[in-house]
Amino acid sequence: QVQLKESGPGLVQPSETLSLTCTVSGFSLTSYSVSWVRQPSGKGPEWMGRMWYDGDTAYNSALKSRLSISRDTSKNQVFLKMNSLQTDDTGTYYCTRERIRGSVFDYWGQGVMVTVSS
Amino acid sequence: AIVLNQSPSSIIASQGEKVTITCRASSSISSNYLHWYQQKPGAFPKLVIYSTSYRASGVPSRFSGSGSGTSYSFTISRVEAEDVATYYCQQGSSNPYTFGAGTKLELK
C-alpha cells in the first residue's frame, strides 16, 4: 500500500538549515509527484513545493529563496532543505503524494513536528 | 496567489443535521482543481472530495461537493460523531497551491 514517512530533527536553531527526508513505498517517484506541505499549530496548511515525477521542481514563491527539494529514486526518497529558519517556521511538516491531474494530495505522511528555537 | 475564503470558520451541529461549508476563491478555478480535506485532531489531513465533487476512496456517501468558478461548497448530509474535524478546501489550479483557513466542525 502507499506510504510516506517523514524523518528529520525535531528542533532546529534559528538561522540554521532544516533537512527532512520523505521515504515512500507503494508507488514510484518516477510516476507520481511528491509535495511538501507544512502547517503551523492551529493554522491551515501551506504548500511549500514539489518534486515532479520527471525530476523537475516547483516552489512556493514565498519560500523559493530558502527552499530546495531533491530526490534519490534508488532509495525512494525525497529531500527538503530550507535555510535561514525563524520561529515562524515552527510547525508540522508533511510530505504528500500528488496526483498530476488536479494537483490533489491523495496520500499524506504522518508528519514531523519541527520547532525552531534556541 | 489565489486566496480561498472559507465560511463559516466554525460550526456546531447536532448529530443527523446537514451542514454546508463554502469556499470562495479570489480568482476563478477550474472545478478539476478544487479539493476538500478532513483533519482530525493530532492527525494529518485526509482527502475527502477531489475535483469539486468526487468522493475519495472509502469516503461515505453523506459527504458531497459542488461548485464552479469562484464558489464551491462541501456538504455533510447527516453529521455523525466521527465527522468532528476541521475541513479545508485547497486549489491546485495555480502556483502556489493554497488552502482555506479551515472550518471546525463540533457536535452539540
Side-chain angles (χ1 to χ4, degrees):
Chain A
Q1 72 276 31
V2 172
Q3 290 187 320
L4 303 97
K5 185 175 176 63
E6 306 87 351
S7 58
L11 180 65
V12 180
Q13 304 277 337
S15 79
E16 295 289 301
T17 296
L18 173 66
S19 295
L20 298 176
T21 299
C22 174
T23 303
V24 311
S25 59
F27 68 97
S28 172
L29 292 178
T30 58
S31 298
Y32 287 88
S33 300
V34 169
S35 272
W36 287 93
V37 174
R38 68 177 181 175
Q39 185 173 30
S41 182
K43 295 188 178 180
E46 176 187 32
W47 177 75
M48 300 180 72
R50 176 205 304 114
M51 170 58 69
W52 285 99
Y53 64 94
D54 63 0
D56 202 358
T57 53
Y59 299 106
N60 186 327
S61 55
L63 301 171
K64 189 173 183 178
S65 63
R66 300 196 287 142
L67 186 61
S68 175
I69 297 174
S70 59
R71 71 179 183 179
D72 183 337
T73 55
S74 67
K75 294 183 178 178
N76 295 320
Q77 292 180 326
V78 179
F79 309 103
L80 176 147
K81 285 190 190 306
M82 189 163 72
N83 58 32
S84 304
L85 254 63
Q86 301 302 322
T87 55
D88 60 1
D89 293 311
T90 293
T92 300
Y93 287 69
Y94 298 99
C95 60
T96 71
R97 192 181 81 164
E98 180 184 334
R99 278 192 218 155
I100 297 165
R101 184 173 179 179
S103 302
V104 57
F105 308 120
D106 61 353
Y107 287 90
W108 295 62
Q110 294 292 324
V112 58
M113 177 66 196
V114 174
T115 301
V116 182
S117 174
S118 54
Chain B
I2 295 177
V3 176
L4 299 178
N5 288 305
Q6 268 184 254
S7 61
S9 56
S10 65
I11 302 175
I12 302 176
S14 301
Q15 230 168 313
E17 190 177 333
K18 176 181 178 181
V19 299
T20 297
I21 300 167
T22 297
C23 179
R24 289 199 166 85
S26 59
S27 300
S28 185
I29 298 168
S30 163
S31 60
N32 287 332
Y33 294 92
L34 193 288
H35 320 295
W36 294 90
Y37 301 84
Q38 174 194 68
Q39 186 174 31
K40 297 186 177 180
F44 58 88
K46 172 192 164 189
L47 178 65
V48 182
I49 298 285
Y50 67 95
S51 299
T52 297
S53 59
Y54 295 91
R55 282 187 299 276
S57 177
V59 172
S61 59
R62 64 181 181 274
F63 293 92
S64 64
S66 64
S68 64
T70 61
S71 184
Y72 294 85
S73 64
F74 173 88
T75 298
I76 308 174
S77 60
R78 291 175 300 279
V79 169
E80 298 191 7
E82 65 185 27
D83 300 336
V84 167
T86 299
Y87 293 86
Y88 296 97
C89 55
Q90 176 247 326
Q91 65 82 19
S93 178
S94 70
N95 183 342
Y97 302 160
T98 50
F99 290 80
T103 296
K104 187 174 184 179
L105 172 62
E106 297 175 292
L107 279 190
K108 223 177 264 184

